[in-house]
Amino acid sequence: MEKGTLIKVGMADLKAASYPNILTTLGLGSCVGIALYDSCTKTIGLAHVMLPSSQQARNNSNLAKFADTAIAKLLKEMENLGARRGNIVAKLAGGAQMFNFSETSDMLRIGTRNVIAAKECLKELNIPIVAEDTGGNFGRTIELYSDGGILLVKTIGHGSKEI
Amino acid sequence: MAMSIDDLNNFHIDVFREIANIGSGNAATALAKMLNKKVDMDVPKVKVLEFKDVTEILGGAEVIVAGILLKVTGDLTGNMMFIMEKNSAHMLVNMLMGRSCTVDELADEFSEIEISALKEIGNILASSYLSALTSLTGLRILPSVPDMAIDMAGAIISVPAIQFGKLGDTVLYIETEFNEDDKKVVGSFFLIPDVESYDILLKSLGVIS
């Protein structure tokens, strides 16, 4: 196997890459990591989204910040690298609730809302979700491998796993 | 008109720096009383950061930090967060408990009593910060009982970052450094007023009319 470059995706950021590269995003909390993979062309895409919907925001110029706009943009970037939409599957990670307040205001349940929004958006686009590691109250670092589309989820004190 | 961090000019940043200075000064005094020791404080750094840079502030997104979050209610609503790197948190607890040990001797995990002590420290620091803000502005500002999480910096910081994300594409970040003798405790405050509260805050200070 060729050795790929590890490409970092920041907060409110997204990137697409080809084989043999690896995409990673560090310290996902309530944000959601949306990992897309085309097994035929081995094209991968990763978005680190902060908020569910661009519709509710006053400033929605950063497309990578919202689940809805980030997925659309990421698909386009992957298609530019040769991916075919019909082959693309998705994996989700993140969407934790880092702090436990007894009164659960909307703001603090943002992790759950991010996951729901990502799922709805993927469903609309007919992209199947093949795996997920979401929720909980801990942070996650994820690595998406173009070789096999494996998503490695690392945590502090909650082990690591491949999904 | 509601403003966002993106619209802040240098003058506003100076105002926030001054708020931070007074707030952190008050917090340092509270800490000194708690420890019964002299605590020095550096002039806080106030920065407006982009999301991609914000997780790097404490040394990287995967650095383990302790974050203490309080909800703020009253005339001003929003959240307040105090974050410190794990070693700083250990140091602070040891100072509070009168234990002397160097960083490399520090245990990895926090015991229940240490977590409880840290929450209390966070509570006192944040409350004294807010009480300075109250005397400065005349606004009624009430902090909630704090909650604490120990995890990757990126994951903890995502909580205030998301709040800022609703308003704009930048984060207002205040770094405060406390020193007791040669022990350095570096902490960051995030004061995250709700959208409407920015105007209230700046109006109460006579910055905007």
Side-chain angles (χ1 to χ4, degrees):
Chain A
M1 185 178 109
E2 284 178 72
K3 203 169 157 26
T5 320
L6 194 66
I7 304 165
K8 239 192 218 180
V9 179
M11 196 183 279
D13 189 13
L14 61 82
K15 285 196 176 87
S18 305
Y19 180 81
N21 295 318
I22 302 155
L23 289 169
T24 184
T25 194
L26 311 176
L28 278 168
S30 300
C31 298
V32 173
I34 301 165
L36 302 180
Y37 175 60
D38 173 352
S39 58
C40 296
T41 58
K42 291 191 175 175
T43 311
I44 48 173
L46 184 62
H48 182 151
V49 306
M50 299 176 82
L51 292 162
S53 167
S54 59
Q55 305 299 316
Q56 295 153 15
R58 286 199 309 130
N59 176 346
N60 51 16
S61 57
N62 181 356
L63 299 179
K65 197 160 78 176
F66 310 96
D68 54 349
T69 46
I71 291 171
K73 187 171 180 222
L74 189 57
L75 282 171
K76 220 166 275 164
E77 292 200 1
M78 287 175 70
E79 282 168 346
N80 288 343
L81 291 176
R84 283 199 39 228
R85 187 163 304 202
N87 296 333
I88 294 175
V89 295
K91 292 180 182 181
L92 299 178
Q97 184 177 336
M98 300 304 298
F99 292 91
N100 264 313
F101 276 101
S102 46
E103 67 251 72
T104 46
S105 65
D106 263 10
M107 189 185 64
L108 293 163
R109 285 190 302 111
I110 191 78
T112 318
R113 287 170 49 217
N114 276 337
V115 174
I116 292 169
K119 283 183 180 169
E120 278 173 1
C121 187
L122 289 166
K123 195 179 170 196
E124 255 171 52
L125 294 162
N126 283 322
I127 295 169
I129 299 165
V130 293
E132 67 170 298
D133 181 37
T134 57
N137 61 352
F138 49 89
R140 294 169 173 91
T141 281
I142 56 174
E143 287 172 15
L144 176 64
Y145 292 84
S146 50
D147 190 37
I150 289 159
L151 188 68
L152 175 65
V153 183
K154 296 189 282 191
T155 66
I156 290 176
H158 293 84
S160 68
K161 59 177 162 183
E162 286 179 1
I163 62 168
Chain B
M1 190 203 80
M3 16 194 327
S4 86
I5 298 288
D6 301 356
D7 307 328
L8 292 179
N9 59 30
N10 281 339
F11 176 59
H12 294 144
I13 305 254
D14 277 344
V15 170
F16 279 113
R17 183 178 294 118
E18 194 48 30
I19 291 173
N21 211 354
I22 295 167
S24 320
N26 226 20
T29 309
L31 188 62
K33 273 191 195 145
M34 202 161 31
L35 300 170
N36 200 18
K37 279 188 181 127
K38 188 167 163 279
V39 173
D40 292 324
M41 187 197 85
D42 287 345
V43 176
K45 291 178 202 135
V46 178
K47 287 177 198 156
V48 175
L49 294 175
E50 286 183 46
F51 294 129
K52 64 176 169 54
D53 301 321
V54 77
T55 53
E56 302 302 320
I57 52 176
L58 290 161
E62 286 187 299
V63 169
I64 303 177
V65 300
I68 295 149
L69 183 74
L70 298 95
K71 287 176 76 172
V72 177
T73 50
D75 293 335
L76 209 66
T77 58
N79 287 278
M80 164 115 204
M81 190 175 219
F82 179 63
I83 295 183
M84 59 202 152
E85 198 245 326
K86 202 179 76 175
N87 282 344
S88 287
H90 271 301
M91 205 111 75
L92 208 50
V93 167
N94 286 338
M95 273 151 72
L96 188 72
M97 294 184 164
R99 293 187 297 214
S100 60
C101 68
T102 54
V103 180
D104 44 72
E105 286 175 293
L106 295 172
D108 215 41
E109 298 293 316
F110 290 93
S111 67
E112 214 161 292
I113 186 132
E114 286 173 329
I115 288 177
S116 163
L118 274 173
K119 273 192 197 176
E120 193 47 33
I121 291 170
N123 196 14
I124 291 167
L125 292 183
S127 306
S128 43
Y129 189 105
L130 290 173
S131 87
L133 199 53
T134 298
S135 20
L136 201 65
T137 58
L139 297 170
R140 200 171 53 102
I141 308 167
L142 308 165
S144 75
V145 175
D147 192 26
M148 185 170 85
I150 297 165
D151 212 308
M152 301 176 205
I156 302 277
I157 293 171
S158 76
V159 176
I162 286 171
Q163 302 295 315
F164 281 112
K166 288 181 182 167
L167 306 180
D169 282 316
T170 45
V171 171
L172 180 72
Y173 147 80
I174 299 160
E175 184 185 87
T176 312
E177 215 170 84
F178 297 114
N179 296 298
E180 189 254 322
D181 291 336
D182 54 340
K183 293 172 197 135
K184 200 176 263 186
V185 174
V186 185
S188 308
F189 282 107
F190 290 90
L191 180 65
I192 316 142
D194 291 339
V195 193
E196 320 78 49
S197 294
Y198 271 103
D199 293 2
I200 298 172
L201 183 59
L202 290 173
K203 262 181 204 153
S204 70
L205 293 165
V207 176
I208 56 170
S209 50

